[in-house]
Amino acid sequence: MANAHAEHHDPNVYYVPHGSRWPVFASVALFTTMIGFASWLNEVSWGRTVFFVGLAGLLAILFKWFGDVIRESLSGVYNKQVDTSFRMGMVWFIFSEVMFFAAFFGALFYARQFALPWLNGVGDGAATHSLLWPDFAGGWPSNGPAAIGGSYQTIPAWGLPLLNTMILLTSGVTVTIAHHALKEGKRGILLLFLGLTVLLGGLFLFYQAEEYMHAYKELNLTLGSGIYGSTFFMLTGFHGAHVTLGTIMLAVIWLRCLKGHFNKDNHFAFEAVAWYWHFVDVVWLGLFLFVYVL
């Protein structure tokens, strides 16, 4: 570590972090979380407990892991090459998230444009209708010819979904204003608008929870409502998980800004979270259009 302190000003010397146990621990915690979640969905008695144990462990590990990275950054051991690698890593991470959501949008597209017409006797898969479901006739949204989950109602686009769209778009504006304030050295404006972004993220999650409760209790729209219910909750649920993660990251960045950790020339952590938040905004626009409006 002493050599790293002495050499970090040399742009040709790349800082190599010391060995870390956190990746191994994080992998175990993530595996535990996923096993618990899968078991919970399949109504295994211990599934929910294992899920929350794994989630708590994962959060604790990430807290310690990112704490190490923050301390290394503040100590000055990172140079321009490390900064470039961080930026490339964040770009590839967001790209992987784009492909993640592309898979679910693809499932939605396939169900609407191919599977459902085939069930109705249209297109190359018309035999599906004549051989298996000759009495089926239905359009989107659909829970299939077996009416899995029973009858349900969809959520109107121009209620809470529209409100949440305006909230997220506004949060994209506030985080951009905060970024410009940071680059201009205006700490008060930075803290104000970044704090507003955190509050807007929390407000979005509150209204999404309200929407989910309304769907389950009053509309009978659940994760088990056939192909429509599964794609609806997979897309909006995973997006909500990303908003939750983004809100937590923004709150951490706000605390770091409060402590004066960033300046106009060195604030990639802020930029990375802003990139992520704008990605969340764009995904929601796609969700609002293809899940709620159309």
Side-chain angles (χ1 to χ4, degrees):
M1 186 67 77
N3 290 338
H5 278 284
E7 296 173 349
H8 77 279
H9 292 293
D10 186 349
N12 298 314
V13 176
Y14 193 92
Y15 170 66
V16 179
H18 55 80
S20 175
R21 61 191 181 277
W22 300 126
V24 176
F25 289 169
S27 298
V28 173
L30 186 59
F31 181 77
T32 303
T33 303
M34 292 298 100
I35 288 293
F37 185 61
S39 301
W40 188 6
L41 287 181
N42 286 279
E43 300 182 353
V44 178
S45 59
W46 46 263
R48 181 167 63 175
T49 301
V50 172
F51 169 76
F52 283 112
V53 169
L55 183 62
L58 183 62
L59 292 176
I61 290 164
L62 292 177
F63 180 83
K64 296 291 292 183
W65 192 353
F66 281 101
D68 288 347
V69 174
I70 291 171
R71 282 188 291 272
E72 289 172 352
S73 177
L74 293 177
S75 66
V77 298
Y78 295 158
N79 59 15
K80 289 295 182 181
Q81 290 185 2
V82 178
D83 183 76
T84 299
S85 72
F86 282 157
R87 292 175 184 275
M88 291 178 63
M90 193 64 190
V91 168
W92 282 112
F93 170 68
I94 291 177
F95 176 75
S96 72
E97 294 288 276
V98 170
M99 300 309 295
F100 176 86
F101 278 99
F104 291 121
F105 275 110
L108 176 66
F109 176 80
Y110 183 87
R112 292 176 61 168
Q113 301 300 124
F114 294 99
L116 197 61
W118 292 345
L119 288 171
N120 280 288
V122 179
D124 296 336
T128 303
H129 173 78
S130 58
L131 296 177
L132 298 179
W133 304 101
D135 297 326
F136 177 74
W140 190 262
S142 173
N143 54 354
I148 297 174
S151 61
Y152 63 90
Q153 299 178 44
T154 60
I155 297 175
W158 311 114
L160 284 180
L162 177 61
L163 177 60
N164 265 350
T165 300
M166 300 307 297
I167 289 172
L168 270 191
L169 290 177
T170 303
S171 72
V173 174
T174 56
V175 76
T176 301
I177 294 174
H179 189 195
H180 284 289
L182 175 58
K183 291 192 289 186
E184 295 170 4
K186 299 177 180 178
R187 308 295 295 191
I189 296 177
L190 162 64
L191 292 171
L192 172 61
F193 281 91
L194 187 57
L196 286 175
T197 307
V198 174
L199 292 176
L200 289 170
L203 189 61
F204 175 92
L205 293 172
F206 171 79
Y207 282 125
Q208 187 168 45
E210 288 283 321
E211 178 182 291
Y212 275 14
M213 288 188 289
H214 175 65
Y216 264 75
K217 294 180 179 179
E218 300 177 29
L219 305 181
N220 195 38
L221 175 60
T222 71
L223 191 60
S225 298
I227 185 62
Y228 179 78
S230 61
T231 53
F232 174 82
F233 283 102
M234 284 293 260
L235 279 164
T236 59
F238 272 115
H239 178 268
H242 284 70
V243 173
T244 302
L245 179 60
T247 303
I248 293 171
M249 291 192 297
L250 286 167
V252 171
I253 294 299
W254 186 87
L255 291 172
R256 292 190 64 188
C257 289
L258 186 64
K259 292 186 175 182
H261 281 192
F262 303 118
N263 57 54
K264 64 178 183 179
D265 299 316
N266 183 18
H267 57 269
F268 174 66
F270 184 103
E271 288 183 307
V273 176
W275 293 354
Y276 185 84
W277 196 250
H278 289 308
F279 158 74
V280 168
D281 286 351
V282 172
V283 170
W284 178 257
L285 289 177
L287 279 172
F288 179 68
L289 179 62
F290 293 107
V291 175
Y292 291 99
V293 176
L294 299 180

